[in-house]
Amino acid sequence: MKMKKKKDEELQLWTKEIISEAVLMSFNKLQPQALFKNPIIFATALCAILATLATLDTPDAFSIQISAWLWFTVLFANFSEALAEGRGKAQASGLKRSTKNLKAFLYDEQTKEKKEIDVSLLKKGDIIICYPGDVIPQDGEVIQGVASVDESAITGESAPVIRESGGDRSAVTGGTIVKSDWLVIQVTSEKGESFIDRMVNLIEGAKREKTPNEIALTLVLSGLTLILLCVVFSLRFQGETIAKESGIPHLDELSLISLTALFVCLIPTTIGGLLSAIGISGMGRLVKEGVIAKSGRAVEAAGDISVLLLDKTGTITYGSRRAFEMYPVGETHYDELLRNTFLASIADETPEGRSIIDFCQKNLKNAFPRTDSHNTFFIPFSAETRMSGVDIDHGDSITQIRKGAVDSICNIVQRNGGTIPHDVQEIVVKISKEGGTPLAVSVGSNLLGIIYLKDIIKKDIKEKFAELRTIGIRTVMITGDNH
């Protein structure tokens, strides 16, 4: 499935579409069942109705003004909530557009034929095949093949991971990208139930549940409103009693309009009206910063964080591991290691492979090894073998140069009858302890040396950690690059 890359447009809050929809929703939310979910605004709406009825009975400028302000308060509370919901839906629609009008290759295991269909037609149990550069359309299980998959859109981990059939590395997520080789995948999610779909539902906030703190605050505000209701409207009877004893015929200051206005001014209308909008808007702001909050409870829990666990690749570092140093082992010379590493990396199109080529070119100083295209066979990097290399045919013999994961290269050396130099393990452990990734290079039965791949730390990351520590948050780095 191919997906054309487009530059993401920044979502604005004050767009014509969002505002017009929010205005319409403000009136739709005047329904009793919608207002009753917010007791304070429900009480304000009842006061607005009473004030309107009193105004119709004895219309005057004061009554009309009070009634208008009460209805404005109710509509503004509805508008703020509708505006926050509209923004979340607009952000969710951006995720929906990422999978719109995309194609997938339906695969027949028996005939080995593939058929291009629209992604919307995929259903649970379908078998699809994905090639390098394809976006995996739905959550699924790998049933054939081994490939490296870019899951950065889902996990934030920029380094590709290996996905293969069988074991605990067979699950794939919709929206991730196949980087090498190919995969035959069986779809395991129904339409609308994939990981991307669940993220859309979270952002839209259509079924947002109240958090424990929000429920507690609502109860407190509702209790306070009930108390103030009793206090304010008891003033009418107290005033009439005092007026009668004082010989005053009636008190205009204690009319229904005045008491209604006093009641709405006393109750926490602003907090009650904006409470749900604040929660939705907060989750929307997190999405804009690239953070998905699964619930309002998660946002509240963030305020109690004292320890922050951070992934290394793509979070603390830029995520593109680059060649930092090379260590010859045994009797290998440094230049010999550089030349063979250069040859073994020519067919490696991964970012790490390109960085190794750059490192070799910089240190060889134009003394590049030459090969004859007629007797040279390049072997591209494969997720299955976890190595790349080159075979050079000399007529009576073939020189095999390989570069890749340390365990894979060690296995090749031992199969060819070679031995592993004693200092290899020491170098590998040293690189791993420093948070780097070791690769090995071999020629035939000889292991020549170790390549040190290092993540580049993001700019100003130390200053950001210092800011976290000043507010009492301790930071811990977690990496899965090495055992």
Side-chain angles (χ1 to χ4, degrees), residues 275-304:
L275 192 59
S276 57
I278 290 170
I280 299 172
S281 179
M283 294 176 71
R285 289 176 63 188
L286 285 175
V287 170
K288 190 176 180 181
E289 298 297 329
V291 179
I292 299 294
K294 289 191 172 182
S295 65
R297 180 179 296 186
V299 177
E300 288 184 355
D304 300 324

Side-chain angles (χ1 to χ4, degrees), residues 24-35:
L24 181 62
M25 288 297 296
S26 300
F27 290 93
N28 291 338
K29 288 177 178 289
L30 289 176
Q31 299 177 20
Q33 61 269 28
L35 288 173

